Amino acid sequence: MLTIYSEDHRHQDGKNELHNGKMVPCFEMPKRADIILERVKTTNLGAIIAPDDFGIDPILRVHDKGFVEFMATVWEEWCAAGNDCEAFANTWPTRRLRERIPIAIEGKIGYYALAIETPITSGSYKAALSSVNVALTGQKKIAAGAHSAFALCRPPGHHAAFDQYGGYCFFNNAAIAAQGFLDDGVSKVAILDVDFHHGNGTQDIFYERNDVFFTSLHGSPDYEFPYFLGWDDETGRGAGEGCNINYPLMPGTTFDIWFEALRDAGKRIKEYGAEVLIISLGVDTFAHDPISSFKLQSPDFTTYGKYIAELGLPTLFVMEGGYAVEEIGINAVNVLQGFEEGL
Ligand code: Q9C
Ligand code: ZN
């Protein structure tokens, strides 16, 4: 399987976040991509190529223009306002406040942020653009006839909504790739999100559409980030009714329960009639992930990769979360090797 990778991910390198009452180093760190790349190499998964540059037009197909402009300029405005730390929000348009975009950067960042844990730094925009290019390069390879590709995206993307960043995500790489397939002539795309967290951003982007089917297995929002979306009564709206399926699962969920939900999701993808599949590949379902609570073991990733291949669809793997850094390469590449075994 071909891997697409860019060194530019390094430009996103935040310092700290709050976890269990302590400031700790950001879980979403450059080493994550380094370890995955190393595993791709040591397992001889296949060729590794650098992405092409697609500019911002494909991003504007799924994200708000004002939001993309904000991402391009936030660091400069943050510094111009006299801040000398990483940029993060401290005020939000919560219930009964107005959703009007402030001029001052302190207000604007609250308007566009969905959470506080994702630091914006001088290199965030550059890293986010490179991650989009990685996903789109994989998408183009598949559009040109490849059966699969691995977009080693970093920073991740599935929490990024139409006009919001957060949850370590800036632009929604998987959603941009899905739109890329549609723009290249595919009529039905499925996105299967196996990250531990609900893919709220992807759901948001396609909620009222029937050309992209979105399904996500994740820790129940009663207990887990992003907390405010991801229940099983969210099934899509308008033309999109029936094209969104969530599997909220209890903390402590083991592989047998998880895999049963995955097989149900796979069945729904087949029923929908998808022509292409995108996997939002988070491996934070691993038992030893420091911020998650599912119980998958490393060999389980191979098992489910093999099942994904049995769906028989051209498949683009887009890297999302996974914070047990030492094992992230084994777990991610196990899915890809399982997929190749299942062909
Ligand atoms: N105490 C992805 O996996 N909250 N994002 C962490 C830790 C944010 C995860 C709380 C988790 C975001 C792509
Ligand atoms: Zn996650």
Side-chain angles (χ1 to χ4, degrees), residues 17-20 27-28 32 115 117-118 156-159 166-169 195-197 225-227 282 284 290-292 320-323:
E17 67 174 276
L18 186 63
H19 178 67
N20 294 346
F27 290 103
E28 205 296 287
R32 296 178 58 250
E117 79 297 283
T118 308
H158 75 149
H159 295 304
Y168 314 150
C169 305
D195 187 281
F196 171 76
H197 304 93
F225 184 90
Y227 296 113
D284 38 10
I291 66 169
S292 308
E320 301 281 2
Y323 308 98

Side-chain angles (χ1 to χ4, degrees), residues 99-221:
E99 292 182 14
R100 183 182 148 134
I101 305 172
I103 292 169
I105 189 63
E106 188 180 37
K108 215 153 68 165
I109 196 170
Y111 179 85
Y112 287 117
L114 70 90
I116 195 176
E117 79 297 283
T118 308
I120 293 180
T121 66
S122 62
S124 297
Y125 181 61
K126 186 170 181 164
L129 288 180
S130 81
S131 198
V132 168
N133 284 328
V134 165
L136 278 172
T137 301
Q139 181 265 311
K140 298 297 172 213
K141 291 289 176 193
I142 291 175
H147 185 66
S148 66
F150 175 41
L152 208 178
C153 291
R154 180 180 175 273
H158 75 149
H159 295 304
F162 173 65
D163 56 359
Q164 282 166 298
Y165 78 95
Y168 314 150
C169 305
F170 300 103
F171 296 135
N172 196 314
N173 307 309
I176 294 164
Q179 185 64 53
F181 277 121
L182 298 170
D183 292 345
D184 287 343
V186 170
S187 46
K188 284 177 152 191
V189 179
I191 303 178
L192 169 59
D193 190 323
V194 296
D195 187 281
F196 171 76
H197 304 93
H198 177 240
N200 64 286
T202 317
Q203 172 170 318
D204 174 63
I205 287 168
F206 298 117
Y207 204 61
E208 302 192 17
R209 290 170 52 171
N210 59 10
D211 50 358
V212 177
F213 180 89
F214 177 69
T215 181
S216 178
L217 285 65
H218 48 268
S220 164

